[in-house]
Coordinates of all heavy atoms in Angstrom, one line a residue:
M1 N 0.8 -1.3 0.0 CA 0.0 0.0 0.0 C 0.9 1.2 0.1 O 2.0 1.2 0.4 CB -0.9 0.0 1.1 CG -0.2 0.4 2.5 SD -1.5 0.5 3.8 CE -0.3 0.4 5.1
E2 N 0.3 2.3 -0.5 CA 1.1 3.5 -0.5 C 0.1 4.6 -0.3 O -1.0 4.5 -0.7 CB 1.7 3.7 -1.9 CG 2.5 5.0 -2.1 CD 3.1 5.0 -3.5 OE1 3.2 4.0 -4.2 OE2 3.4 6.1 -3.9
L3 N 0.5 5.8 0.3 CA -0.3 6.9 0.5 C 0.4 8.1 -0.3 O 1.5 8.4 0.1 CB -0.3 7.2 2.0 CG -1.4 8.3 2.4 CD1 -2.8 7.7 2.1 CD2 -1.3 8.6 3.8
K4 N -0.3 8.6 -1.2 CA 0.2 9.6 -2.1 C -0.2 11.0 -1.3 O -1.3 11.2 -0.9 CB -0.5 9.6 -3.4 CG -0.2 10.8 -4.3 CD 1.1 10.6 -5.1 CE 1.3 11.7 -6.1 NZ 2.5 12.4 -6.0
I5 N 0.9 11.8 -1.1 CA 0.6 13.1 -0.4 C 0.7 14.1 -1.5 O 1.6 14.3 -2.3 CB 1.8 13.3 0.6 CG1 1.8 12.1 1.6 CG2 1.5 14.6 1.3 CD1 3.0 12.2 2.5
H6 N -0.4 15.0 -1.5 CA -0.6 16.0 -2.5 C -0.1 17.5 -2.1 O -0.6 18.4 -2.7 CB -2.1 16.0 -2.9 CG -2.6 14.7 -3.4 ND1 -2.2 14.3 -4.6 CD2 -3.4 13.9 -2.9 CE1 -2.7 13.0 -4.8 NE2 -3.5 12.8 -3.7
V7 N 0.8 17.5 -1.2 CA 1.2 18.9 -0.8 C 1.9 19.6 -2.0 O 1.6 20.9 -2.1 CB 2.3 18.7 0.4 CG1 3.0 20.1 0.6 CG2 1.4 18.4 1.6
S8 N 2.7 18.9 -2.8 CA 3.3 19.7 -4.0 C 2.2 20.2 -4.9 O 2.5 21.3 -5.5 CB 4.3 18.7 -4.7 OG 3.7 17.4 -5.2
E9 N 1.2 19.4 -5.2 CA 0.2 19.8 -6.0 C -0.6 21.1 -5.5 O -0.8 21.9 -6.3 CB -0.8 18.7 -6.3 CG -0.2 17.6 -7.2 CD 0.3 16.3 -6.4 OE1 0.7 16.6 -5.1 OE2 0.4 15.3 -6.9
W10 N -0.8 21.0 -4.2 CA -1.5 22.2 -3.6 C -0.6 23.4 -3.6 O -1.1 24.5 -3.8 CB -2.0 21.8 -2.1 CG -3.3 21.1 -2.2 CD1 -3.4 19.7 -2.1 CD2 -4.5 21.7 -2.3 NE1 -4.8 19.4 -2.1 CE2 -5.5 20.6 -2.2 CE3 -5.0 22.9 -2.4 CZ2 -6.8 20.8 -2.3 CZ3 -6.3 23.2 -2.5 CH2 -7.2 22.2 -2.5
L11 N 0.7 23.2 -3.4 CA 1.6 24.4 -3.4 C 1.5 24.9 -5.0 O 1.6 26.2 -5.1 CB 3.1 24.0 -3.1 CG 3.3 23.8 -1.6 CD1 4.7 23.3 -1.4 CD2 2.9 25.0 -0.8
G12 N 1.6 24.1 -5.9 CA 1.4 24.6 -7.3 C 0.2 25.3 -7.5 O 0.2 26.4 -8.2
K13 N -1.0 24.8 -7.1 CA -2.3 25.5 -7.2 C -2.2 26.9 -6.6 O -2.8 27.8 -7.2 CB -3.4 24.6 -6.6 CG -3.8 23.4 -7.3 CD -4.9 22.7 -6.5 CE -5.2 21.3 -7.1 NZ -6.2 20.6 -6.4
K14 N -1.7 27.0 -5.3 CA -1.7 28.2 -4.7 C -0.6 29.1 -5.1 O -0.5 30.4 -4.7 CB -1.6 27.9 -3.1 CG -2.7 27.3 -2.6 CD -4.0 28.1 -2.5 CE -5.1 27.4 -1.7 NZ -6.3 28.3 -1.4
K15 N 0.4 28.6 -5.9 CA 1.6 29.3 -6.2 C 2.4 29.8 -5.0 O 3.0 31.0 -5.0 CB 1.3 30.5 -7.2 CG 0.6 30.0 -8.4 CD 0.4 31.1 -9.5 CE 0.0 30.5 -10.8 NZ -1.0 31.0 -11.5
W16 N 2.5 28.8 -4.0 CA 3.3 29.1 -2.8 C 4.6 28.4 -2.9 O 4.5 27.3 -3.5 CB 2.5 28.7 -1.6 CG 1.2 29.4 -1.3 CD1 0.8 30.6 -1.8 CD2 0.2 29.0 -0.4 NE1 -0.3 31.0 -1.3 CE2 -0.8 30.0 -0.4 CE3 0.0 27.9 0.4 CZ2 -1.9 30.0 0.3 CZ3 -1.1 27.8 1.2 CH2 -2.0 28.8 1.1
T17 N 5.6 28.8 -2.1 CA 6.7 28.1 -1.9 C 6.6 27.2 -0.6 O 5.6 27.4 0.2 CB 8.0 29.0 -1.7 OG1 7.8 29.8 -0.5 CG2 8.1 29.9 -2.9
Q18 N 7.5 26.3 -0.4 CA 7.5 25.5 0.8 C 7.7 26.5 2.0 O 7.0 26.3 3.0 CB 8.7 24.4 0.8 CG 8.5 23.4 -0.2 CD 9.5 22.3 -0.2 OE1 10.0 22.0 1.0 NE2 9.9 21.9 -1.3
K19 N 8.4 27.5 1.9 CA 8.7 28.5 2.9 C 7.4 29.2 3.2 O 7.1 29.4 4.4 CB 9.7 29.5 2.5 CG 10.0 30.5 3.7 CD 11.2 31.5 3.2 CE 11.3 32.4 4.3 NZ 12.0 33.7 3.9
D20 N 6.6 29.5 2.2 CA 5.3 30.2 2.4 C 4.4 29.3 3.2 O 3.8 29.7 4.2 CB 4.6 30.5 1.1 CG 5.2 31.5 0.2 OD1 5.9 32.4 0.7 OD2 5.1 31.4 -1.1
L21 N 4.4 28.0 2.9 CA 3.6 27.1 3.6 C 3.9 26.9 5.1 O 3.1 26.9 6.0 CB 3.5 25.7 2.9 CG 2.5 24.7 3.5 CD1 1.1 25.2 3.5 CD2 2.7 23.4 2.7
S22 N 5.3 26.9 5.3 CA 5.7 26.7 6.6 C 5.4 28.0 7.4 O 4.9 27.9 8.6 CB 7.3 26.7 6.5 OG 7.8 26.7 7.9
E23 N 5.5 29.2 6.8 CA 5.1 30.4 7.6 C 3.6 30.4 7.9 O 3.1 30.9 8.9 CB 5.5 31.6 6.8 CG 7.0 31.8 6.7 CD 7.4 32.9 5.8 OE1 6.7 33.4 5.1 OE2 8.7 33.1 5.9
K24 N 2.7 30.0 6.9 CA 1.3 30.0 7.1 C 0.7 28.9 8.1 O -0.3 29.1 8.7 CB 0.6 29.8 5.7 CG 0.8 30.9 4.8 CD 0.2 30.6 3.4 CE 0.4 31.6 2.4 NZ 0.1 32.9 2.5
T25 N 1.5 27.9 8.1 CA 1.0 26.7 9.1 C 1.7 26.6 10.4 O 1.3 25.9 11.4 CB 1.2 25.3 8.3 OG1 2.6 25.2 8.0 CG2 0.3 25.3 7.0
G26 N 3.0 27.2 10.4 CA 3.8 26.9 11.6 C 4.5 25.7 11.7 O 5.1 25.3 12.7
I27 N 4.4 24.9 10.5 CA 5.1 23.6 10.5 C 6.5 23.8 10.0 O 6.8 24.6 9.2 CB 4.4 22.7 9.4 CG1 2.8 22.5 9.9 CG2 5.1 21.4 9.2 CD1 2.1 21.7 8.7
R28 N 7.4 23.1 10.7 CA 8.9 23.3 10.4 C 9.1 23.0 9.0 O 8.5 22.2 8.2 CB 9.7 22.3 11.3 CG 9.7 22.5 12.7 CD 10.6 21.5 13.4 NE 11.5 20.9 12.6 CZ 11.9 19.7 12.5 NH1 11.4 18.8 13.4 NH2 12.8 19.2 11.7
P29 N 10.2 23.9 8.4 CA 10.5 23.7 7.0 C 10.9 22.3 6.6 O 10.6 21.8 5.5 CB 11.6 24.7 6.8 CG 11.3 25.8 7.8 CD 10.8 25.1 9.0
A30 N 11.7 21.7 7.5 CA 12.1 20.3 7.2 C 10.8 19.3 7.1 O 10.9 18.4 6.1 CB 13.0 19.8 8.3
T31 N 9.9 19.5 7.8 CA 8.6 18.7 7.8 C 7.9 19.0 6.5 O 7.5 18.1 5.8 CB 7.8 19.0 9.0 OG1 8.5 18.6 10.2 CG2 6.5 18.1 8.9
I32 N 7.8 20.3 6.2 CA 7.1 20.7 4.9 C 7.9 20.0 3.7 O 7.2 19.4 2.7 CB 7.1 22.1 4.6 CG1 6.3 22.8 5.8 CG2 6.6 22.5 3.3 CD1 4.8 22.5 5.7
S33 N 9.2 20.0 3.7 CA 10.0 19.4 2.7 C 9.7 17.8 2.5 O 9.6 17.4 1.5 CB 11.6 19.7 2.9 OG 12.3 19.0 1.9
A34 N 9.7 17.2 3.7 CA 9.4 15.8 3.8 C 8.0 15.5 3.2 O 7.8 14.5 2.5 CB 9.6 15.2 5.1
L35 N 7.0 16.4 3.5 CA 5.7 16.2 2.9 C 5.8 16.3 1.5 O 5.1 15.6 0.7 CB 4.7 17.1 3.7 CG 4.3 16.8 5.0 CD1 3.6 18.1 5.6 CD2 3.5 15.6 5.1
Y36 N 6.4 17.4 1.0 CA 6.5 17.8 -0.3 C 7.1 16.6 -1.2 O 6.7 16.3 -2.3 CB 7.4 19.0 -0.6 CG 7.6 19.6 -2.0 CD1 6.6 20.5 -2.5 CD2 8.5 19.2 -2.8 CE1 6.7 20.8 -3.8 CE2 8.7 19.6 -4.1 CZ 7.8 20.5 -4.6 OH 7.8 20.9 -5.8
H37 N 8.2 16.1 -0.6 CA 8.9 15.0 -1.4 C 8.3 13.6 -1.0 O 8.9 12.6 -1.6 CB 10.4 15.1 -1.1 CG 11.1 16.3 -1.6 ND1 11.3 16.6 -2.9 CD2 11.5 17.5 -0.9 CE1 11.9 17.7 -3.2 NE2 12.0 18.3 -1.9
E38 N 7.3 13.6 -0.3 CA 6.7 12.3 0.2 C 7.6 11.3 0.8 O 7.6 10.1 0.6 CB 5.9 11.7 -1.1 CG 4.8 12.6 -1.6 CD 4.2 12.0 -2.8 OE1 3.5 11.0 -2.5 OE2 4.1 12.3 -3.9
T39 N 8.5 11.9 1.6 CA 9.5 11.0 2.4 C 9.1 11.0 3.9 O 9.7 10.3 4.6 CB 10.8 11.6 2.2 OG1 10.9 12.9 2.7 CG2 11.4 11.5 0.8
V40 N 8.0 11.6 4.3 CA 7.6 11.7 5.7 C 7.1 10.2 6.1 O 6.5 9.6 5.3 CB 6.5 12.7 5.9 CG1 5.3 12.4 5.2 CG2 6.4 13.0 7.3
K41 N 7.4 9.9 7.3 CA 7.0 8.6 7.8 C 5.8 8.6 8.5 O 5.0 7.5 8.6 CB 8.2 8.0 8.7 CG 9.5 7.7 7.9 CD 9.2 6.6 6.9 CE 10.5 6.4 6.2 NZ 10.3 5.8 4.9
R42 N 5.5 9.7 9.2 CA 4.2 9.9 9.9 C 3.8 11.4 9.9 O 4.8 12.3 9.7 CB 4.4 9.4 11.3 CG 5.2 10.2 12.2 CD 5.4 9.6 13.6 NE 6.7 8.9 13.6 CZ 7.3 8.3 14.6 NH1 6.8 8.4 15.7 NH2 8.4 7.7 14.5
I43 N 2.6 11.7 10.1 CA 2.1 13.1 10.2 C 1.3 13.3 11.4 O 0.3 12.4 11.7 CB 1.5 13.5 8.9 CG1 1.1 14.9 8.8 CG2 0.3 12.6 8.5 CD1 0.7 15.4 7.5
E44 N 1.4 14.3 12.1 CA 0.7 14.7 13.3 C -0.7 15.3 12.8 O -0.8 15.9 11.7 CB 1.3 15.8 14.1 CG 2.7 15.5 14.7 CD 2.6 14.5 15.8 OE1 1.5 14.5 16.5 OE2 3.5 13.7 16.0
I45 N -1.7 14.9 13.6 CA -3.1 15.4 13.2 C -3.1 17.0 13.2 O -3.8 17.5 12.3 CB -4.1 14.9 14.4 CG1 -4.2 13.4 14.3 CG2 -5.5 15.6 14.2 CD1 -4.9 12.8 13.1
E46 N -2.3 17.6 14.1 CA -2.3 19.0 14.1 C -1.7 19.7 12.8 O -2.2 20.7 12.3 CB -1.4 19.5 15.2 CG -1.9 19.3 16.6 CD -0.9 18.7 17.6 OE1 0.2 18.7 17.3 OE2 -1.3 18.3 18.6
H47 N -0.8 18.9 12.2 CA -0.3 19.2 10.9 C -1.3 19.1 9.8 O -1.4 20.0 8.8 CB 1.0 18.5 10.5 CG 2.2 18.8 11.4 ND1 3.3 18.1 11.3 CD2 2.4 19.7 12.3 CE1 4.2 18.6 12.2 NE2 3.6 19.6 12.8
I48 N -2.1 18.0 9.8 CA -3.2 17.9 8.9 C -4.2 19.1 9.0 O -4.6 19.6 8.0 CB -3.9 16.5 9.1 CG1 -2.9 15.3 8.8 CG2 -5.1 16.4 8.2 CD1 -3.4 14.0 9.2
V49 N -4.6 19.3 10.2 CA -5.5 20.5 10.4 C -4.9 21.7 9.9 O -5.5 22.5 9.1 CB -5.8 20.6 11.9 CG1 -6.5 21.9 12.2 CG2 -6.6 19.4 12.4
A50 N -3.6 22.0 10.2 CA -2.9 23.3 9.8 C -2.9 23.3 8.2 O -3.2 24.3 7.6 CB -1.6 23.3 10.3
L51 N -2.6 22.2 7.5 CA -2.6 22.2 6.1 C -4.0 22.4 5.5 O -4.1 23.2 4.5 CB -2.0 20.8 5.6 CG -0.5 20.5 5.9 CD1 -0.2 19.1 5.6 CD2 0.3 21.4 5.0
C52 N -5.0 21.7 6.1 CA -6.4 22.0 5.6 C -6.8 23.5 5.8 O -7.5 24.0 4.8 CB -7.3 21.0 6.4 SG -7.2 19.3 6.0
K53 N -6.5 24.0 6.8 CA -6.8 25.5 7.0 C -6.0 26.3 5.9 O -6.7 27.2 5.3 CB -6.3 26.0 8.4 CG -7.3 25.5 9.4 CD -6.9 26.2 10.9 CE -7.8 25.7 11.9 NZ -7.3 26.2 13.2
A54 N -4.8 26.0 5.7 CA -3.9 26.8 4.8 C -4.5 26.6 3.3 O -4.7 27.6 2.6 CB -2.5 26.4 4.9
F55 N -4.8 25.4 3.0 CA -5.2 25.1 1.6 C -6.7 25.2 1.4 O -7.2 25.1 0.4 CB -4.7 23.7 1.2 CG -3.2 23.5 1.1 CD1 -2.6 22.4 1.6 CD2 -2.5 24.5 0.4 CE1 -1.3 22.2 1.4 CE2 -1.1 24.2 0.2 CZ -0.4 23.2 0.7
E56 N -7.4 25.5 2.5 CA -8.9 25.6 2.5 C -9.4 24.2 1.8 O -10.2 24.3 0.8 CB -9.4 26.8 1.8 CG -8.9 28.0 2.5 CD -9.3 29.3 1.7 OE1 -9.4 29.3 0.4 OE2 -9.6 30.3 2.5
C57 N -9.1 23.0 2.4 CA -9.4 21.8 1.8 C -9.8 20.8 3.0 O -9.7 21.1 4.2 CB -8.3 21.2 0.9 SG -6.9 20.7 1.9
Q58 N -10.2 19.6 2.6 CA -10.5 18.5 3.5 C -9.3 17.6 3.6 O -8.6 17.6 2.6 CB -11.8 17.8 3.0 CG -13.1 18.7 3.1 CD -13.3 19.0 4.6 OE1 -13.4 18.2 5.5 NE2 -13.6 20.3 4.8
P59 N -9.2 16.8 4.6 CA -8.0 15.8 4.7 C -8.0 15.0 3.5 O -6.8 14.7 3.1 CB -8.3 15.1 6.0 CG -9.0 16.1 6.8 CD -9.9 16.9 5.9
G60 N -9.1 14.6 3.0 CA -9.1 13.6 1.8 C -8.5 14.2 0.6 O -8.1 13.6 -0.3
D61 N -8.5 15.7 0.5 CA -7.9 16.3 -0.6 C -6.4 16.3 -0.5 O -5.7 16.5 -1.5 CB -8.4 17.8 -0.7 CG -9.9 17.9 -0.7 OD1 -10.5 17.1 -1.4 OD2 -10.4 18.9 -0.2
L62 N -5.8 16.0 0.6 CA -4.4 15.9 0.7 C -3.7 14.6 0.5 O -2.6 14.6 0.3 CB -4.1 16.3 2.3 CG -4.4 17.8 2.6 CD1 -4.1 18.0 4.1 CD2 -3.6 18.8 1.8
F63 N -4.5 13.5 0.6 CA -4.0 12.2 0.5 C -4.8 11.3 -0.4 O -6.0 11.4 -0.6 CB -3.9 11.5 1.9 CG -3.4 12.3 2.9 CD1 -4.1 13.0 3.9 CD2 -1.9 12.3 3.1 CE1 -3.5 13.9 4.9 CE2 -1.4 13.1 4.1 CZ -2.2 13.8 5.0
T64 N -4.1 10.4 -1.0 CA -4.8 9.3 -1.9 C -4.2 8.0 -1.5 O -2.9 7.9 -1.5 CB -4.6 9.6 -3.4 OG1 -5.1 10.9 -3.7 CG2 -5.3 8.5 -4.2
Y65 N -5.0 7.0 -1.1 CA -4.5 5.7 -0.8 C -4.5 4.9 -2.1 O -5.4 4.9 -2.9 CB -5.5 5.0 0.2 CG -5.3 3.5 0.4 CD1 -4.1 3.1 1.1 CD2 -6.1 2.6 -0.2 CE1 -3.9 1.8 1.3 CE2 -5.8 1.2 0.0 CZ -4.6 0.9 0.7 OH -4.4 -0.5 0.9
I66 N -3.3 4.2 -2.3 CA -3.1 3.4 -3.5 C -2.8 2.1 -2.9 O -1.8 1.8 -2.2 CB -1.9 4.0 -4.3 CG1 -2.2 5.4 -4.8 CG2 -1.7 3.0 -5.5 CD1 -1.1 6.2 -5.4
E67 N -3.7 1.0 -3.4 CA -3.4 -0.4 -2.9 C -2.4 -1.0 -3.8 O -2.6 -0.8 -5.1 CB -4.7 -1.1 -3.0 CG -4.7 -2.4 -2.4 CD -6.0 -3.1 -2.4 OE1 -7.1 -2.4 -2.5 OE2 -6.0 -4.3 -2.1
N68 N -1.4 -1.7 -3.3 CA -0.5 -2.4 -4.0 C -1.1 -3.7 -4.4 O -1.2 -4.6 -3.5 CB 0.8 -2.5 -3.2 CG 2.0 -3.2 -4.0 OD1 1.7 -3.8 -5.1 ND2 3.1 -3.1 -3.4
K69 N -1.4 -3.9 -5.7 CA -2.0 -5.2 -6.1 C -1.0 -6.4 -6.2 O -1.5 -7.5 -6.3 CB -2.7 -4.9 -7.4 CG -3.8 -3.9 -7.3 CD -4.5 -3.7 -8.7 CE -5.3 -2.5 -8.7 NZ -6.6 -2.6 -8.3
N70 N 0.3 -6.2 -6.0 CA 1.2 -7.2 -6.1 C 1.5 -7.9 -4.8 O 2.2 -8.9 -4.7 CB 2.6 -6.7 -6.7 CG 2.4 -6.1 -8.0 OD1 1.7 -6.6 -8.8 ND2 3.3 -5.1 -8.2
V71 N 0.9 -7.4 -3.7 CA 1.1 -8.1 -2.4 C 0.0 -9.0 -2.2 O -1.2 -8.7 -2.3 CB 1.0 -7.0 -1.3 CG1 1.1 -7.6 0.1 CG2 2.1 -5.9 -1.5
S72 N 0.4 -10.3 -1.8 CA -0.6 -11.3 -1.6 C -1.1 -11.1 -0.1 O -0.4 -10.7 0.8 CB 0.0 -12.7 -1.6 OG 1.1 -12.9 -0.7
S73 N -2.4 -11.4 0.1 CA -3.1 -11.3 1.3 C -3.2 -12.6 2.0 O -4.1 -13.4 1.7 CB -4.4 -10.5 1.3 OG -5.2 -11.2 0.4
N74 N -2.3 -13.1 2.9 CA -2.3 -14.4 3.4 C -3.1 -14.3 4.8 O -2.9 -13.5 5.6 CB -0.8 -14.9 3.7 CG -0.2 -15.3 2.2 OD1 -1.0 -15.6 1.4 ND2 1.1 -15.2 2.3

């Protein structure tokens, strides 16, 4: 399974930089970068709320679940 994080797409839509998003949300620049590059291992609920406020979206707009069909379910 994979979770696609749409922060980079939202930054493009808003024409914001990662620094802009960090300033608007209070989320550390390193965390914004990890979200942008989809290398983050976990995300705090508070960060999801801050991103939703900044982007004026719902949590489901930030993430897409992709099921890995190659994994067998034993």
Side-chain angles (χ1 to χ4, degrees):
M1 77 176 163
E2 182 180 338
L3 194 65
K4 174 86 175 127
I5 303 171
H6 300 292
V7 168
S8 61
E9 290 94 338
W10 276 99
L11 286 177
K13 286 180 193 177
K14 296 286 190 177
K15 297 186 170 136
W16 293 347
T17 64
Q18 290 181 40
K19 182 180 178 195
D20 293 333
L21 184 58
S22 176
E23 290 171 355
K24 291 175 188 303
T25 61
I27 299 171
R28 293 182 20 220
T31 303
I32 296 292
S33 178
L35 288 164
Y36 181 89
H37 294 287
E38 300 184 64
T39 58
V40 69
K41 297 294 181 204
R42 68 184 99 174
I43 183 168
E44 299 287 333
I45 296 290
E46 293 137 10
H47 291 172
I48 296 171
V49 170
L51 291 168
C52 288
K53 284 183 181 178
F55 292 137
E56 299 176 327
C57 70
Q58 294 295 313
D61 299 327
L62 295 173
F63 308 100
T64 302
Y65 170 73
I66 301 166
E67 188 173 347
N68 186 346
K69 297 182 194 273
N70 295 332
V71 176
S72 63
S73 55
N74 291 332

